[in-house]
Amino acid sequence: MALCEAAGCGSALLWPRVLLFGDSITQFSFQQGGWGASLADKLVRKCDVLNRGFSGYNTRWAKIILPRLIRKGNSLDTPVAVTIFFGANDSALKDENPKQHIALDEYAANLKSMVQYLKSVDIPENRVILITPTPLCETAWEKQCIMQGCKLNRLNSVVGEYANACLQVAQDCGTDILDLWTLMQDSQDFSSYLSDGLHLSPKGNEFLFSHLWPLIEKKVSSLPLLLPYWRDVAEAKPELSLLGDGDH
């Protein structure tokens, strides 16, 4: 209390938020060199980047938990951007991995439902970025499956069908789309972007970030740096600089 009185206490600083919602490729994105960590570094003092990645989850489970992650609040609580990045588990083969597999039609419906839910809590389509699943390197992933005592449980051609469904949902709903499945395969031997055939390697994290950043940047470009640059703080009376509106 004494500190607050001495300082004069300005209004509470509220950081805008960017929400990353997805499966393991999102959950692991805050690891060293991860695409989420790169995003947080790029947005430091502008936005908080929240990692809401859930390893192994599919869109059926994601649709259920989304209302527990974001609820209608005041506009200051509303994320300025949301990424939705699912499909790696939904596209698992039903016969080999029935627990994670989600039928193609339901996958598309679940994505659409999530976009509609966000709209209902005042996050419009132009703040949402859908990300397609990455391509699958079958030879590398099959080795992982064999090590776990199972058969190859995903196929790249099937993942491509889910990527196309994601593209269609983005078109139908009016959201941005990052088509990783196509971009990675267009650029070079995409296996170098994957650490185990499914999850991203350091190079894959760089690739994702480099393509995601322009989509995020246009949503946050008007946001100010929070609190002034240190050289701009008034020396004699720093509170004049530090207890203002937080913009500089």
Side-chain angles (χ1 to χ4, degrees):
M1 186 68 175
L3 179 62
C4 190
E5 286 172 354
C9 275
S11 58
L13 276 175
L14 295 167
W15 258 247
R17 298 181 299 157
V18 172
L19 183 79
L20 312 180
F21 186 41
D23 52 34
S24 57
I25 302 176
T26 297
Q27 181 176 320
F28 301 160
S29 74
F30 272 26
Q31 293 176 349
Q32 185 174 2
W35 61 272
S38 296
L39 194 60
D41 180 55
K42 196 84 168 174
L43 291 173
V44 71
R45 285 182 62 181
K46 275 200 166 190
C47 295
D48 280 338
V49 179
L50 304 181
N51 186 331
R52 297 294 182 264
F54 300 88
S55 182
Y57 276 46
N58 56 34
T59 55
R60 183 183 295 165
W61 303 345
K63 184 178 76 166
I64 293 169
I65 64 169
L66 183 59
R68 301 188 68 189
L69 305 179
I70 302 178
R71 297 188 178 180
K72 196 160 189 167
N74 64 51
S75 60
L76 295 170
D77 291 329
T78 306
V80 293
V82 178
T83 60
I84 300 177
F85 188 7
F86 289 94
N89 299 312
D90 299 69
S91 59
L93 302 176
K94 185 177 182 181
D95 290 346
E96 299 299 332
N97 189 348
K99 181 161 186 172
Q100 291 178 303
H101 167 82
I102 297 295
L104 190 61
D105 288 349
E106 186 191 340
Y107 168 73
N110 290 341
L111 286 178
K112 196 169 288 189
S113 174
M114 286 189 267
V115 174
Q116 289 167 346
Y117 172 75
L118 291 175
K119 189 176 180 182
S120 77
V121 294
D122 301 327
I123 302 169
E125 300 91 330
N126 63 9
R127 294 190 189 182
V128 179
I129 302 166
L130 293 182
I131 306 177
T132 73
T134 61
L136 180 83
C137 180
E138 292 172 14
T139 51
W141 185 245
E142 186 171 25
K143 290 176 185 173
Q144 297 295 316
C145 292
I146 290 168
M147 284 168 57
Q148 294 167 21
C150 60
K151 296 178 185 175
L152 179 66
N153 58 18
R154 289 164 170 80
L155 293 173
N156 191 41
S157 60
V158 174
V159 179
E161 295 173 7
Y162 285 72
N164 285 333
C166 185
L167 283 166
Q168 188 61 53
V169 170
Q171 187 176 325
D172 293 345
C173 292
T175 69
D176 280 343
I177 180 73
L178 177 52
D179 183 6
L180 281 181
W181 191 82
T182 300
L183 285 169
M184 283 188 168
Q185 292 183 92
D186 280 352
S187 62
Q188 62 172 63
D189 173 19
F190 71 88
S191 64
S192 65
Y193 294 132
L194 304 169
S195 62
D196 56 6
L198 176 67
H199 300 97
L200 295 174
S201 66
K203 192 173 182 180
N205 274 287
E206 279 182 38
F207 184 90
L208 197 167
F209 173 74
S210 69
H211 287 84
L212 178 61
W213 173 245
L215 300 177
I216 295 284
E217 186 177 28
K218 70 182 185 182
K219 302 182 193 313
V220 303
S221 59
S222 63
L223 296 175
L225 192 69
L226 288 157
L227 291 173
Y229 179 57
W230 71 272
R231 290 189 187 277
D232 297 331
V233 175
E235 195 169 340
K237 280 201 156 189
E239 59 272 17
L240 294 177
S241 305
L242 301 177
L243 298 179
D245 58 11
D247 300 353
H248 210 279

